[in-house]
Amino acid sequence: MGCIPSIFVFQPFLSESTSILKYNDENALSCVINLAFYSARNKYKMVRELPAGRGFADVVFVLWRNVDLPAIIIELKWKKDAITAIDQIKRKNYPAPLKEYAGEVILCAISYEKSGKEHNCIIERI
């Protein structure tokens, strides 16, 4: 899928777009995701902290009408692995607000640590 940046593209983009003092801050990561998807704004509406299921999804890309692309749910997880984040998306039913959407939904979990620049990512289609 051309519209989904890989983690390999995400890391250099993150380095170029954030302060070294706030590199692994959830707000900084969310802003970088917004920048990375800027070119897709004509197809998606980005919603941060969307009330979803039993919690709040960190970032959700909701499609404008008549666009044949997947909706995207992103969960950022600090000091936990990406598996924990993807499990949270499913356990708390973050796809619930997209129940009217008939297309594919992409679940993306990104884990990060406060120190270091390594991120892990899991992407699943449902």
Side-chain angles (χ1 to χ4, degrees), residues 7-8 10-12 14-15 23-25 29 76-77 82 109-113 115-122:
I7 197 67
F8 304 109
F10 180 74
Q11 285 178 304
L14 180 61
S15 293
Y23 183 84
N24 281 336
D25 172 85
L29 293 173
L76 303 171
K77 193 54 72 185
I110 301 171
S111 67
Y112 62 98
E113 296 287 333
S115 61
K117 293 188 174 185
E118 186 172 320
H119 298 77
N120 293 299
C121 179
I122 295 175

Side-chain angles (χ1 to χ4, degrees), residues 98-116:
L98 304 173
K99 67 181 176 215
E100 302 291 321
Y101 176 62
E104 186 175 48
V105 177
I106 301 287
L107 309 180
C108 178
I110 301 171
S111 67
Y112 62 98
E113 296 287 333
K114 288 288 185 184
S115 61

Side-chain angles (χ1 to χ4, degrees), residues 57-113:
D58 288 334
V59 183
V60 177
F61 288 90
V62 180
L63 291 157
W64 298 115
R65 294 192 187 274
N66 303 319
V67 175
D68 189 26
L69 291 171
I72 304 167
I73 299 170
I74 300 174
E75 180 65 23
L76 303 171
K77 193 54 72 185
W78 173 60
K79 291 179 80 173
K80 302 232 175 96
D81 57 27
I83 293 170
T84 301
I86 206 88
D87 288 344
Q88 178 176 325
I89 292 170
K90 294 173 184 175
R91 185 181 71 254
K92 293 192 172 189
N93 196 21
Y94 288 171
L98 304 173
K99 67 181 176 215
E100 302 291 321
Y101 176 62
E104 186 175 48
V105 177
I106 301 287
L107 309 180
C108 178
I110 301 171
S111 67
Y112 62 98
E113 296 287 333

